Short mmCIF file of all heavy atoms in Angstrom, two decimals:
data_model
loop_
_atom_site.label_atom_id
_atom_site.label_comp_id
_atom_site.label_asym_id
_atom_site.label_seq_id
_atom_site.Cartn_x
_atom_site.Cartn_y
_atom_site.Cartn_z
N LYS F 121 -50.80 22.65 -45.53
CA LYS F 121 -50.36 21.33 -45.08
C LYS F 121 -49.15 20.90 -45.90
O LYS F 121 -48.55 19.87 -45.65
CB LYS F 121 -51.50 20.33 -45.39
CG LYS F 121 -52.17 19.80 -44.18
CD LYS F 121 -53.44 19.02 -44.41
CE LYS F 121 -53.51 17.94 -45.42
NZ LYS F 121 -54.77 17.17 -45.36
N TYR F 122 -48.82 21.71 -46.92
CA TYR F 122 -47.78 21.35 -47.89
C TYR F 122 -46.71 22.45 -47.95
O TYR F 122 -46.63 23.20 -48.93
CB TYR F 122 -48.40 21.14 -49.27
CG TYR F 122 -49.46 20.07 -49.28
CD1 TYR F 122 -50.79 20.38 -48.97
CD2 TYR F 122 -49.14 18.75 -49.56
CE1 TYR F 122 -51.77 19.40 -48.97
CE2 TYR F 122 -50.11 17.77 -49.57
CZ TYR F 122 -51.42 18.09 -49.26
OH TYR F 122 -52.39 17.12 -49.26
N GLU F 143 -52.25 21.21 -39.97
CA GLU F 143 -52.42 19.76 -40.20
C GLU F 143 -53.69 19.39 -40.96
O GLU F 143 -53.79 18.30 -41.50
CB GLU F 143 -52.38 19.01 -38.86
CG GLU F 143 -51.02 19.04 -38.17
CD GLU F 143 -49.88 18.47 -39.04
OE1 GLU F 143 -50.12 17.51 -39.78
OE2 GLU F 143 -48.76 19.01 -38.98
N GLY F 144 -54.68 20.25 -40.99
CA GLY F 144 -55.91 19.92 -41.70
C GLY F 144 -56.88 21.08 -41.63
O GLY F 144 -56.66 22.02 -40.85
N SER F 145 -57.93 21.04 -42.46
CA SER F 145 -58.89 22.15 -42.54
C SER F 145 -58.16 23.48 -42.60
O SER F 145 -58.43 24.41 -41.82
CB SER F 145 -59.86 22.12 -41.35
OG SER F 145 -60.57 20.91 -41.36
N VAL F 146 -57.25 23.57 -43.54
CA VAL F 146 -56.39 24.75 -43.71
C VAL F 146 -57.22 26.01 -43.97
O VAL F 146 -56.80 27.13 -43.68
CB VAL F 146 -55.39 24.50 -44.87
CG1 VAL F 146 -54.47 25.66 -45.09
CG2 VAL F 146 -54.58 23.25 -44.58
N GLU F 147 -58.43 25.79 -44.51
CA GLU F 147 -59.33 26.91 -44.83
C GLU F 147 -59.62 27.78 -43.61
O GLU F 147 -60.04 28.93 -43.74
CB GLU F 147 -60.64 26.38 -45.42
CG GLU F 147 -60.51 25.72 -46.79
CD GLU F 147 -60.11 24.25 -46.74
OE1 GLU F 147 -59.86 23.73 -45.62
OE2 GLU F 147 -60.01 23.63 -47.80
N ASP F 160 -53.58 24.94 -50.85
CA ASP F 160 -54.23 23.70 -50.49
C ASP F 160 -54.78 22.99 -51.72
O ASP F 160 -54.78 23.55 -52.82
CB ASP F 160 -55.38 23.99 -49.50
CG ASP F 160 -55.83 22.74 -48.75
OD1 ASP F 160 -55.05 21.76 -48.69
OD2 ASP F 160 -56.97 22.73 -48.23
N ILE F 161 -55.27 21.77 -51.49
CA ILE F 161 -55.89 21.01 -52.57
C ILE F 161 -57.30 21.52 -52.79
O ILE F 161 -58.06 21.69 -51.82
CB ILE F 161 -55.89 19.51 -52.20
CG1 ILE F 161 -54.46 18.98 -52.27
CG2 ILE F 161 -56.84 18.74 -53.08
CD1 ILE F 161 -54.29 17.60 -51.71
N VAL F 162 -57.64 21.77 -54.04
CA VAL F 162 -59.01 22.15 -54.40
C VAL F 162 -59.51 21.10 -55.37
O VAL F 162 -58.86 20.82 -56.38
CB VAL F 162 -59.06 23.55 -55.04
CG1 VAL F 162 -60.48 23.89 -55.47
CG2 VAL F 162 -58.53 24.61 -54.08
N GLU F 163 -60.65 20.51 -55.02
CA GLU F 163 -61.20 19.50 -55.94
C GLU F 163 -62.47 20.06 -56.58
O GLU F 163 -62.47 20.49 -57.72
CB GLU F 163 -61.45 18.20 -55.19
CG GLU F 163 -61.73 17.05 -56.14
CD GLU F 163 -62.15 15.78 -55.44
OE1 GLU F 163 -62.03 15.69 -54.20
OE2 GLU F 163 -62.66 14.90 -56.13
N THR F 164 -63.55 20.12 -55.81
CA THR F 164 -64.80 20.67 -56.36
C THR F 164 -64.91 22.17 -56.09
O THR F 164 -65.72 22.86 -56.70
CB THR F 164 -66.01 19.99 -55.71
OG1 THR F 164 -65.96 20.26 -54.30
CG2 THR F 164 -66.00 18.49 -55.93
N GLY F 165 -64.13 22.65 -55.12
CA GLY F 165 -64.19 24.07 -54.74
C GLY F 165 -65.24 24.34 -53.67
O GLY F 165 -65.40 25.48 -53.21
N THR F 166 -65.92 23.27 -53.25
CA THR F 166 -67.01 23.44 -52.27
C THR F 166 -66.51 23.97 -50.93
O THR F 166 -67.12 24.88 -50.34
CB THR F 166 -67.73 22.08 -52.05
OG1 THR F 166 -68.07 21.55 -53.32
CG2 THR F 166 -68.98 22.23 -51.20
N THR F 167 -65.39 23.43 -50.45
CA THR F 167 -64.89 23.84 -49.13
C THR F 167 -64.55 25.33 -49.14
O THR F 167 -64.86 26.06 -48.19
CB THR F 167 -63.65 23.01 -48.73
OG1 THR F 167 -63.94 21.63 -48.96
CG2 THR F 167 -63.31 23.20 -47.26
N LEU F 168 -63.91 25.78 -50.24
CA LEU F 168 -63.58 27.20 -50.33
C LEU F 168 -64.87 28.03 -50.33
O LEU F 168 -65.03 28.95 -49.53
CB LEU F 168 -62.79 27.50 -51.62
CG LEU F 168 -61.36 26.95 -51.72
CD1 LEU F 168 -60.75 27.36 -53.05
CD2 LEU F 168 -60.49 27.45 -50.56
C1 PRP M 1 -59.12 18.42 -48.84
C2 PRP M 1 -58.50 19.78 -49.01
C3 PRP M 1 -59.69 20.70 -48.93
C4 PRP M 1 -60.79 19.86 -49.56
C5 PRP M 1 -60.99 20.31 -50.99
O1 PRP M 1 -59.32 18.22 -47.49
O2 PRP M 1 -57.53 20.04 -48.01
O3 PRP M 1 -60.00 21.02 -47.60
O4 PRP M 1 -60.36 18.50 -49.54
O5 PRP M 1 -62.04 19.63 -51.61
P1 PRP M 1 -63.23 20.43 -52.33
O6 PRP M 1 -62.61 21.45 -53.24
O7 PRP M 1 -63.95 19.34 -53.10
O8 PRP M 1 -64.09 21.04 -51.28
P2 PRP M 1 -59.56 16.80 -46.83
O9 PRP M 1 -60.99 16.43 -46.95
O10 PRP M 1 -58.60 15.81 -47.41
O11 PRP M 1 -59.25 17.03 -45.30
P3 PRP M 1 -58.37 18.12 -44.52
O12 PRP M 1 -59.05 19.43 -44.72
O13 PRP M 1 -58.41 17.68 -43.12
O14 PRP M 1 -57.01 18.11 -45.11
#
Side-chain angles (χ1 to χ4, degrees):
K121 249 169 49 172
Y122 302 87
E143 293 302 324
S145 299
V146 181
E147 292 84 357
D160 197 20
I161 289 170
V162 177
E163 193 187 348
T164 61
T166 309
T167 313
L168 291 180

